[in-house]
Amino acid sequence: MNPLASVLLLLGAGLTLVSLVVVHVLPTKLSPLRDPVSQYGITPFRGWYWSAAGGAAIAGVGGALLFSTIPGAIAIVTTVLLGVFAVARALIGVFPMDAPDAAKSRTGRTHNLLAFAAFASVTAAAFTGAGAIHDAGAPTLSTWSTIFGVIMALGTVGMILAAAIPALHGVFGLAERLIYAGFIAWFLTLGLTPLP
């Protein structure tokens, strides 16, 4: 494995994890079950959200570096997907979400597009990456990559349902946090598991 890729994966995922744990225990008055993670970015504790987003971008770069060393078209696709994820996470702090009671703004719509790009690309990357990792001779790591992709996909489905069905609005935040849990765990696993 590329040592720089491993360092970036572990550093970025670790920074994201620590930042999110800290902001979740601070007195933000937000509900982890209901409120989106991005809402921390419009509180006085926004620095922790920016740190989490920056950490995810760093991990995305590490993942892109890792897959760029694996031969084959599926690894190239995974590298591009992780590049999209890294750019979206790096930019999202510059485009905060709209407050829940505020009118929709161009900045808020850009935030939503960046969030969609990040979540869709990293979820897809876990699935395509599983194929690339399997072809590289690491079937167990490939299985874990698929598992983390499924966790992210379940979170995505949960977010869509929670946004569309009023009775489920109260679990939107929980569904989104499944996506975060999936990609943080995936990046940590990639960083800790050497390829053959």
Side-chain angles (χ1 to χ4, degrees):
M1 174 183 285
N2 180 329
L4 178 59
S6 183
V7 167
L8 292 175
L9 281 160
L10 295 173
L11 175 68
L15 178 59
T16 301
L17 179 61
V18 169
S19 299
L20 289 176
V21 168
V22 169
V23 81
H24 277 77
V25 299
L26 290 171
T28 61
K29 300 182 181 175
L30 297 181
S31 166
L33 291 178
R34 180 188 66 245
D35 297 316
V37 173
S38 296
Q39 201 163 337
Y40 292 113
I42 56 172
T43 71
F45 305 99
R46 66 183 61 88
W48 290 104
Y49 173 74
W50 294 339
S51 176
I58 291 168
V61 170
L65 283 175
L66 169 67
F67 284 98
S68 73
T69 65
I70 299 174
I74 196 73
I76 294 170
V77 170
T78 307
T79 300
V80 171
L81 288 168
L82 287 169
V84 170
F85 172 80
V87 170
R89 287 283 97 182
L91 292 176
I92 202 161
V94 180
F95 298 94
M97 69 173 278
D98 293 320
D101 55 350
K104 300 301 179 192
S105 69
R106 179 176 294 165
T107 298
R109 285 191 292 274
T110 301
H111 174 91
N112 292 341
L113 288 172
L114 290 169
F116 175 81
F119 292 155
S121 63
V122 76
T123 302
F127 288 114
T128 61
I133 292 166
H134 187 275
D135 292 348
T140 302
L141 182 57
S142 173
T143 299
W144 280 109
S145 187
T146 301
I147 290 168
F148 296 132
V150 168
I151 291 169
M152 290 184 266
L154 289 172
T156 301
V157 170
M159 283 178 61
I160 292 167
L161 292 175
I165 302 170
L168 297 178
H169 287 348
V171 295
F172 181 90
L174 178 63
E176 183 187 25
R177 282 159 180 80
L178 267 181
I179 301 171
Y180 276 87
F183 76 70
I184 290 169
W186 184 48
F187 288 146
L188 289 172
T189 303
L190 288 176
L192 290 169
T193 311
L195 292 174

